[in-house]
Amino acid sequence: PYDVLVVGGGPAGASAAIYAARKGIRTGILAEKFGGQPLETLGIENFIGTTYTEGPKLAAQLEEHVKSYPVDVMKTQKAIKLAKNELVEVTLENGAVLQSKTVVLSTGARWRSLGIPGEETFKNKGIAYCPHCDGPLFAGKKIAVVGGGNSGIEAAIDLAGVVEHVTVLEFLPELKADKVLQDKLYSLDNVTVLTNVETKAIYGQDKVDSLAYMDRDTQEVLTLELAGVFILIGLVPNTEWLEGSVDRTARGEIIVDKQGATNLPGVYAAGDCTDSVYKQIIIAMGSGATAALGAFDYIIRH
Ligand code: FAD
């Protein structure tokens, strides 16, 4: 059996594997896609100490760094079940069962997509999901935020300070964000809020130049000219496979304490799959280190 088995090979998992391996204990890491969300990211400008890098490059560096230690790296492997007996047992899609004294769950999350024409084509070419990451790219330009929940309205307020104009599009007749956020939003003079509208398509040549939406009252289809669209209709943690084993919030985020421990002894979690407040690369890496140190602490006491 392993001492530490890391499930998920994004920034959180890579960090956990390196911190565990540096303790000289038996470490394994398995991932469906080694590298995680950075594989889909173009420019990264907020990875502190690195002025600019690109996601695929960072993903390759994560793998190289992990492999510089004696870690069992199992790529293109998907975990489908976790059970705690004497050891923690992780079942893979191929039928194998891996055993470990401790496990670090770092399966990340995925942004819910609209599923409309243009969305795939213009990813990283005007379509964005993270205001902290991509806001400055749209300085002085017109953008839209799709989604009137807390994350959408927080993004709209944040972006209004950076871009020329923000249009918020919400499918329902009312915004769902907290009242304080709505009050703040309506106090800004470069924001327009459209409710009861359905975003239909995103257009452009090389980059986004417009968005079509339908007024759900009149069924009229209208066009907005803009340079960017932030889609904030929900971040879904990749934790469906933990149903019934590890405690999660109503939104499916794994509940962790300050050591990264879950409710199951020996099972730790880190990164975007947890109930951490903010989801960023540097935060995921920090929590991966925390979870590995937490797991090591558990091992020396058991
Ligand atoms: P992830 O990166 O999601 O990695 C999860 C890992 O788990 C992957 O290896 C995945 O294949 C694996 N996995 C999932 N389910 C299973 C399973 N059942 N079995 C086995 N493996 C599994 N953050 C920034 O700080 N700066 C940025 O500029 C930035 N830009 C972004 C741009 C885009 C387009 C996106 C999508 C995100 C961006 N982020 C950015 C957010 C950042 O990428 C995430 O916060 C970070 O990657 C989270 O790391 P993680 O390791 O927790 O999860």
Side-chain angles (χ1 to χ4, degrees):
Y2 292 104
D3 290 310
V4 177
L5 176 64
V6 180
V7 184
S15 172
I18 291 165
Y19 267 77
R22 286 174 58 80
K23 295 293 183 191
I25 53 181
R26 233 194 124 201
T27 305
I29 181 168
L30 68 101
E32 221 179 334
K33 280 195 197 152
F34 204 100
Q37 290 172 68
L39 292 173
E40 300 157 38
T41 306
L42 200 58
I44 300 171
E45 301 181 346
N46 57 4
F47 186 49
I48 306 309
T50 302
T51 313
Y52 179 85
T53 189
E54 294 187 349
K57 182 175 170 198
L58 178 66
Q61 287 171 320
L62 294 180
E63 189 171 341
E64 187 192 335
H65 197 174
V66 168
K67 286 184 170 165
S68 73
Y69 291 94
V71 173
D72 269 2
V73 178
M74 296 161 268
K75 297 209 300 189
T76 58
Q77 295 298 335
K78 183 173 184 178
I80 56 165
K81 195 169 151 240
L82 179 136
K84 164 86 187 174
N85 294 310
E86 189 139 345
L87 294 168
V88 189
E89 294 180 355
V90 174
T91 307
L92 306 186
E93 200 171 41
N94 69 9
V97 179
L98 302 173
Q99 295 187 318
S100 186
K101 281 186 198 158
T102 67
V103 165
V104 176
L105 303 168
S106 53
T107 46
R110 57 190 188 270
W111 287 99
R112 191 172 282 142
S113 55
L114 289 163
I116 58 169
E119 190 176 13
E120 274 303 314
T121 321
F122 296 113
K123 255 188 194 165
N124 292 323
K125 294 175 190 156
I127 295 188
Y129 297 87
C130 171
H132 320 300
C133 313
D134 296 340
L137 301 177
F138 300 95
K141 297 184 176 160
K142 293 194 175 77
I143 61 135
V145 170
V146 181
N150 279 340
S151 61
I153 302 312
E154 283 165 10
I157 294 167
D158 172 355
L159 293 164
V162 182
V163 305
E164 186 195 322
H165 187 269
V166 180
T167 305
V168 175
L169 297 111
E170 166 57 45
F171 183 81
L172 295 173
E174 279 146 35
L175 298 181
K176 290 163 289 170
D178 296 342
K179 171 110 179 13
V180 282
L181 291 173
Q182 293 194 35
D183 290 347
K184 174 76 188 179
L185 183 76
Y186 285 116
S187 77
L188 302 171
D189 56 16
N190 62 339
V191 176
T192 308
V193 178
L194 304 173
T195 55
N196 212 24
V197 295
E198 184 176 345
T199 308
K200 293 297 241 184
I202 297 164
Y203 301 111
Q205 295 291 328
D206 317 330
K207 291 188 285 184
V208 169
D209 62 24
S210 61
L211 171 153
Y213 69 94
M214 185 183 76
D215 182 320
R216 296 174 64 217
D217 278 332
T218 62
Q219 308 274 306
E220 190 183 358
V221 176
L222 298 149
T223 304
L224 284 176
E225 290 193 3
L226 39 68
V229 182
F230 283 78
I231 300 175
L232 289 154
I233 55 171
L235 185 65
V236 188
N238 300 318
T239 59
E240 293 87 350
W241 65 287
L242 296 167
E243 179 75 54
S245 59
V246 174
D247 283 352
R248 296 174 300 154
T249 65
R251 286 159 57 192
E253 296 175 332
I254 301 166
I255 300 167
V256 291
D257 71 9
K258 284 183 183 163
Q259 266 94 42
T262 71
N263 64 306
L264 285 185
V267 179
Y268 292 74
D272 284 13
C273 65
T274 71
D275 61 351
S276 72
V277 189
Y278 303 109
K279 317 292 200 219
Q280 293 282 280
I281 293 166
I282 198 157
I283 294 171
M285 286 183 176
S287 70
T290 300
L293 296 176
F296 181 68
D297 221 33
Y298 176 91
I299 291 165
I300 60 178
R301 283 159 211 270
H302 287 83

